Amino acid sequence: MAEAERIIGTPDTPDATGNGRERPDEAAAAGASGTDEPAAAGRPRGKRRIAVLFAVATFAYALDLISKMIVVAKLEHHPPIEILGDWLKFEAIRNAGAAFGFGEAFTVIFTMIAAAVIVVIARLARKLYSLPWAIALGLLLGGALGNLTDRIFRAPGIFEGAVVDFIAPKHFAVFNLADSAIVCGGVLIVLLSFKGLDPDGTVHKD
């Protein structure tokens, strides 16, 4: 966790805006006020970014949880429902592995990884000043919580529970909305990294 915090950097360190990086919101605040102390203006923005992160996570988690409840109640032990013919079906299955059905022999390990991801995101939230990063981390958090809930509370037992999957495209693994949120959050993080935008709001100029 400490290594993850070191990699993304923090706004609390004196050189966070140095080395060819600039935090856009702080630069704008400094220019508007004519002072060299933009930190006070940055703190409310940081709180709003945290609110966005948890709002996105709550929405993704609730959507995943509700969809799984409907699938278990209405679709499990029933024939698949065709949405786009053979190209897309809703088919309830129980997956003891990772996302998209990989690694079914390591359920406990995947459970521990999901829990660690949640802890890291929660710790880094207080250092978050970027809206796109807040959305990306919110998607990751909501998706991780969704699948972790299955692993804790569903059969065959605590930390070994099978995740409910139901979205079944043709020639592809069956997945759920939590998996989708995790993938979307991961893709967004990759794009933000390529653009040089850090979670603390700094931008790499090189």
Side-chain angles (χ1 to χ4, degrees):
M1 296 182 188
E3 180 66 15
E5 293 186 30
R6 184 190 67 77
I7 292 174
I8 73 165
T10 74
D12 301 327
T13 54
D15 60 343
T17 56
N19 299 324
R21 298 188 299 170
E22 178 183 3
R23 183 178 302 161
D25 55 350
E26 290 195 353
S33 62
T35 66
D36 295 328
E37 298 180 357
R43 291 192 188 98
R45 291 194 178 190
K47 292 180 180 179
R48 287 196 292 270
R49 301 301 184 259
I50 295 173
V52 170
L53 186 157
F54 287 108
V56 171
T58 300
F59 178 77
Y61 176 70
L63 202 61
D64 177 69
L65 185 62
I66 292 171
S67 67
K68 289 174 179 175
M69 292 173 62
I70 295 174
V71 167
V72 171
K74 302 294 184 181
L75 188 57
E76 200 166 36
H77 308 304
H78 290 80
I81 298 176
E82 293 187 354
I83 306 300
L84 295 174
D86 292 336
W87 291 99
L88 179 63
K89 298 179 181 180
F90 285 167
E91 179 180 6
I93 68 167
R94 297 295 182 109
N95 171 25
F100 307 111
F102 298 116
E104 294 189 4
F106 304 98
T107 305
V108 175
I109 295 177
F110 292 133
T111 303
M112 296 174 63
I113 292 174
V117 168
I118 293 170
V119 172
V120 169
I121 293 175
R123 290 188 61 184
L124 296 179
R126 62 187 177 85
K127 304 167 184 177
L128 189 63
Y129 285 81
S130 166
L131 179 59
W133 271 93
I135 295 172
L137 292 178
L139 290 170
L140 284 179
L141 179 59
L145 282 172
N147 284 339
L148 183 61
T149 299
D150 282 359
R151 298 193 187 281
I152 294 176
F153 295 106
R154 296 193 188 277
I158 296 178
F159 301 119
E160 297 181 351
V163 174
V164 175
D165 290 335
F166 62 94
I167 304 173
K170 189 176 182 180
H171 305 311
F172 196 73
V174 184
F175 59 98
N176 57 42
L177 295 182
D179 296 333
S180 302
I182 291 171
V183 171
C184 290
V187 170
L188 182 54
I189 286 175
V190 171
L191 293 176
L192 294 174
S193 299
F194 272 117
K195 292 183 64 176
L197 178 62
D198 286 345
D200 64 359
T202 57
V203 178
H204 295 276
K205 293 182 178 181
D206 39 75

